């Protein structure tokens, strides 16, 4: 759950689900029609990559599948895995509907599902780390940071694909939404740092997650209103920010009672 | 039913017999521990110095967070004893339970890719016997039984301690309504209770 491959898998999950969210938003708000198929394909590829990393992290496909047993008990790990799988299924169905020219009603219905799965899945990816035993993680701000970073990545990736697919005429709306999300993410990150008593690691958190992942990303998103290609840089910045948020969080995994864990780790070993 | 340990710290001498007995009974691997004895102190300035031993293991929480986070159901309550145990065949070694446990009670055994912990010796207690740490405690500091049964030995022991000194009955700090079941008895004549940090 806290191993490095699994932290990377949550980044990919959030990126894929964020992109799925923006595909749904585009359907409802009417942007990115021509580039929706490549955007959905990108979301699908990223979500499948997340599942592959999850399998690597848990050592075998059987172990990764066994995770789903905990869904009924609302285990955070299980729910996050379930949402990733739902994202994959939704992306496949949505892609099939795109290819067959489904009715407006059907497309809006699946867009609504994409909005729900995208947002709730990203939130659940962060919420699995909210544990009473981890004081630095035990805050609702952590899943909020995950969610906002996911939407920032999804928005920037969607706009990047729109630019690359020569569908840049309607990027203004998603760029404005992405900019608003990045600003909200910046506020949430500062709130999270305050929750930790300002003990977050300076380089990964302030240097990358905040400065690069929010400030530089915001500058790129705003500049992309005039130079659309810059949104690709914004996507890379938000992805780097998301990765370093996870690194900074992982470095703050101190336990509720340190001494017991120190003994458990063999600091006071008995030589038995 | 709330089967749990009652540990009288006024009697504990920190001899580690409970640690050895646990390893022997449960075949615990070298370098892995299902229970520990933590030295608390010494505190104060000579000659006013205090120290006591704090044996810890799974606290058998009423609202065990390890059960909530386990994605496969490997961590579960034993049907007969009510103790939180881990099914090694179902455990995938994700260590979510280790992250969730406030009391460092669980250990990841890398070569088996499973998490292990104190089972309150369910293989013994199912048959009405005491856990190995209780049976082998040299000073009789450890008791085991049902804290929900007012007639059990442990309930009577805790009641007697409370009657003697209401402030002598303690539990490990609770980070968020997990309700640890293990009861510690430490009277001021031995040392002042300090929450481990």
């Amino acid at each position: 759950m806290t191993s490095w491959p699994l932290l990377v898998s949550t980044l990919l999950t959030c990126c894929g689900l964020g992109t799925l969210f923006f595909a749904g938003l585009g359907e409802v708000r009417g942007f990115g029609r021509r580039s929706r198929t490549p955007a959905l394909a990108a979301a699908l590829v990223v979500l499948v990559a997340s599942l592959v990393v999850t399998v690597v992290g848990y050592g075998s496909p059987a172990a990764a599948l066994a995770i789903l047993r905990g869904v009924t008990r609302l285990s955070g790990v299980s729910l996050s895995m379930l949402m990733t799988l739902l994202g994959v299924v939704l992306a496949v169905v949505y892609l099939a509907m795109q290819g067959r020219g489904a009715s407006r009603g059907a497309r809006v219905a699946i867009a609504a599902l994409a909005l729900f799965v995208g947002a709730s899945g990203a939130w659940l990816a962060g919420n699995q780390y909210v544990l009473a035993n981890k004081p630095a993680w035990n805050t609702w701000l952590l899943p909020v940071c995950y969610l906002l970073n996911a939407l920032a990545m999804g928005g920037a990736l969607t706009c990047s694909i729109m630019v690359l697919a020569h569908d840049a005429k309607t990027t203004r709306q998603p760029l404005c939404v992405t900019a608003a999300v990045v600003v909200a993410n910046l506020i949430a990150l500062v709130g999270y740092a305050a929750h930790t008593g300002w003990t977050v690691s300076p380089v990964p958190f302030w240097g990358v997650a905040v400065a690069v992942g929010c400030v530089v990303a915001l500058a790129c998103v705003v500049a992309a209103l005039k130079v659309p290609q810059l949104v690709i840089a914004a996507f890379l910045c938000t992805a780097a920010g998301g990765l370093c948020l996870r690194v900074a969080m992982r470095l703050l995994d101190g336990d509720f009672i340190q001494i017991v864990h120190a003994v458990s780790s063999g600091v006071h070993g008995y030589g038995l | 039913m709330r089967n749990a340990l009652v540990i009288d710290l006024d009697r504990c001498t920190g001899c580690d017999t409970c640690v050895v007995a646990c390893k022997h009974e449960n075949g615990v691997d070298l370098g892995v521990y299902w229970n520990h004895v933590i030295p608390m102190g010494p505190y104060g300035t000579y000659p006013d110095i205090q120290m006591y031993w704090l044996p810890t293991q799974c606290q058998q929480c009423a609202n065990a967070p390890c059960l909530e986070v386990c994605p496969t159901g490997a961590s579960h309550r034993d049907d007969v004893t009510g103790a939180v145990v881990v099914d090694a065949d179902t455990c995938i070694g994700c260590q979510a339970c280790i992250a969730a446990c406030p009391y460092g009670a669980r250990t990841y055994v890398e070569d088996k890719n499973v998490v292990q912990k104190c089972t309150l010796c369910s293989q013994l207690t199912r048959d009405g016997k005491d856990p190995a740490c209780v049976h082998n405690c040299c000073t009789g500091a450890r008791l085991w039984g049902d804290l929900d049964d007012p007639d059990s030995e442990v309930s009577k022991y805790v009641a007697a301690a409370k009657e003697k000194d209401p402030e002598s009955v303690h539990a490990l700090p609770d980070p968020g309504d997990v309700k640890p079941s293990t009861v510690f008895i430490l009277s001021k004549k031995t040392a002042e209770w300090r929450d481990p940090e």
Side-chain angles (χ1 to χ4, degrees), chain B residues 135-175:
Chain B
H135 178 77
N136 290 285
C137 180
C138 312
T139 60
R142 299 174 79 101
L143 297 92
W144 171 86
D146 184 2
L147 286 167
D148 281 345
D149 175 6
D151 295 326
S152 68
E153 186 190 1
V154 282
S155 293
K156 286 177 182 169
Y157 198 90
V158 173
K162 265 186 188 163
E163 196 177 321
K164 206 170 171 185
D165 177 6
E167 292 180 8
S168 66
V169 178
H170 310 274
L172 290 183
D174 187 340

Side-chain angles (χ1 to χ4, degrees), chain A residues 2-272:
Chain A
T2 54
S3 67
W4 294 108
L6 297 175
L7 289 180
V8 172
S9 84
T10 66
L11 179 73
L12 293 170
T13 293
C14 285
C15 181
L17 291 176
T19 310
L20 198 61
F21 179 91
F22 268 81
L25 191 64
E27 189 77 61
V28 175
R29 300 292 301 167
F31 62 78
R33 278 198 192 99
R34 284 200 293 146
S35 56
R36 190 154 306 131
T37 299
L40 284 167
L44 180 61
V45 167
V46 175
L47 287 170
V48 170
S50 164
L51 290 175
V52 170
V53 175
T54 303
V55 169
V56 171
Y58 286 118
S60 73
L65 279 175
I67 290 170
L68 291 172
R69 284 188 210 137
V71 168
T72 51
R73 283 177 289 104
L74 304 180
S75 158
V77 181
S78 306
L79 289 177
S80 182
M81 177 79 159
L82 176 70
M83 296 311 274
T84 308
L85 284 172
L86 278 179
V88 168
V89 172
L90 209 53
V92 169
V93 173
Y94 206 160
L95 272 170
M97 286 173 66
Q98 287 287 110
R100 293 183 180 185
S103 67
R104 170 77 181 150
R107 282 189 284 119
V108 168
I110 199 154
L113 275 175
L115 287 168
F116 172 74
V117 171
S120 58
W123 185 82
L124 284 168
N127 195 55
Q128 65 180 309
Y129 295 104
V130 179
L131 301 167
N133 181 42
K134 304 282 185 192
W137 303 356
N138 194 22
T139 168
W140 57 270
L141 283 165
L142 189 63
V144 167
C145 288
Y146 269 63
L147 169 62
L148 293 172
N149 175 252
L151 297 183
M153 280 192 289
L157 182 58
T158 302
C159 292
S160 299
I161 291 167
M162 288 170 75
V163 169
L164 292 171
H166 307 292
D167 185 24
K169 281 183 188 168
T170 55
T171 51
R172 185 173 185 81
Q173 199 180 143
L175 279 174
C176 290
V177 174
T178 305
V181 167
V182 172
V183 170
N185 193 21
L186 178 63
I187 295 166
L189 285 170
V190 173
Y192 177 68
H195 166 79
T196 68
W198 310 103
T199 56
V200 284
S201 298
V203 174
F205 191 84
W206 295 112
V208 185
V210 172
V212 176
C214 293
V215 178
V216 177
L218 181 62
C220 289
V221 169
V222 172
L225 289 166
K226 290 196 173 168
V227 186
Q229 286 76 9
L230 278 174
V231 78
I232 298 169
F235 168 66
L236 295 174
C237 288
T238 53
L243 179 64
C244 283
L245 165 65
R246 286 156 176 83
V247 171
M249 185 201 97
R250 181 70 177 79
L251 294 174
L252 279 173
D253 72 342
D255 294 305
F256 170 66
I257 303 178
Q258 300 286 344
I259 188 171
V260 180
H261 288 268
V263 174
S264 306
S265 306
V267 174
H268 304 289
Y270 304 91
L272 294 170

